[in-house]
Amino acid sequence: MFRLGRTDTIRSASNASASFVKSFDDPSKQVCSRAVTKRAAISGQAIDRHLLGLKLQAAEEKLSVPAIFRDPAYAKALHYHLSTSQVPSKTDCVMCFGPVVPDGYGFCYNPMEDHINFAVSSFNSCKETDAGDLAGAVEEALLDLRRLLEQTPRSKL
């Protein structure tokens, strides 16, 4: 499925993921237990790498850049304020990478058996980003999820 290391972008911002997050602030809402991320990227059916390939092919063949690549919406879609990636390792080490845009964050994580290592980075030159604040918010969210899972009855299967 990932011949030659092919990856793609998972666009997790959706109505379903927003509802899931908002339900934590409203106890009257049921937290949705179904998966909220799309699986297109992990099955090779997402669009980002395909579009990149078309753009690079046009450049290589000295063709004019197709109009989609000049559209402001395309540029906005590629401005990743949050760039995340799992860097799996069986050893207890922390790895990190930088943000891909000046006003963004790099977020590297490695789930282990009984804990999760993660590293957050941002540029000091950007007044809108603070890696320490984001790391604290992520820790708080993970603790919220732990509490939720501890309250959920275990399956008898």
Side-chain angles (χ1 to χ4, degrees), residues 28-117:
S28 68
K29 290 184 178 177
Q30 288 278 334
V31 176
C32 176
S33 62
R34 66 188 171 127
V36 293
T37 31
K38 306 290 184 211
R39 299 196 55 87
I42 61 174
S43 63
Q45 298 175 16
I47 62 167
D48 292 280
R49 298 302 182 257
H50 297 290
L51 289 172
L52 176 61
L54 291 172
K55 183 178 182 181
L56 293 175
Q57 185 177 5
E60 185 177 301
E61 296 181 12
K62 299 186 180 17
L63 301 172
S64 63
V65 176
I68 188 173
F69 300 114
R70 296 188 303 271
D71 190 299
Y74 182 75
K76 187 174 183 174
L78 293 182
H79 191 89
Y80 299 111
H81 287 283
L82 181 61
S83 178
T84 67
S85 187
Q86 178 182 356
V87 180
S89 172
K90 294 190 184 292
T91 61
D92 201 18
C93 61
V94 177
M95 299 173 203
C96 189
F97 57 85
V100 296
V101 295
D103 59 341
Y105 294 96
F107 190 96
C108 181
Y109 58 95
N110 182 19
M112 304 296 284
E113 182 140 345
D114 60 351
H115 65 282
I116 302 172
N117 290 330

Side-chain angles (χ1 to χ4, degrees), residues 87-149:
V87 180
S89 172
K90 294 190 184 292
T91 61
D92 201 18
C93 61
V94 177
M95 299 173 203
C96 189
F97 57 85
V100 296
V101 295
D103 59 341
Y105 294 96
F107 190 96
C108 181
Y109 58 95
N110 182 19
M112 304 296 284
E113 182 140 345
D114 60 351
H115 65 282
I116 302 172
N117 290 330
F118 65 91
V120 182
S121 64
S122 64
F123 290 109
N124 290 334
S125 59
C126 181
K127 304 280 189 251
E128 291 83 36
T129 58
D130 184 310
D133 286 350
L134 180 59
V138 168
E139 181 178 19
E140 193 174 316
L142 289 171
L143 292 171
D144 284 348
L145 286 170
R146 173 194 270 171
R147 283 188 286 277
L148 173 71
L149 294 172

Side-chain angles (χ1 to χ4, degrees), residues 5-19:
R6 185 180 181 283
T7 63
D8 216 314
T9 302
I10 296 175
R11 297 185 182 278
S12 58
S14 67
N15 289 337
S17 63
S19 295

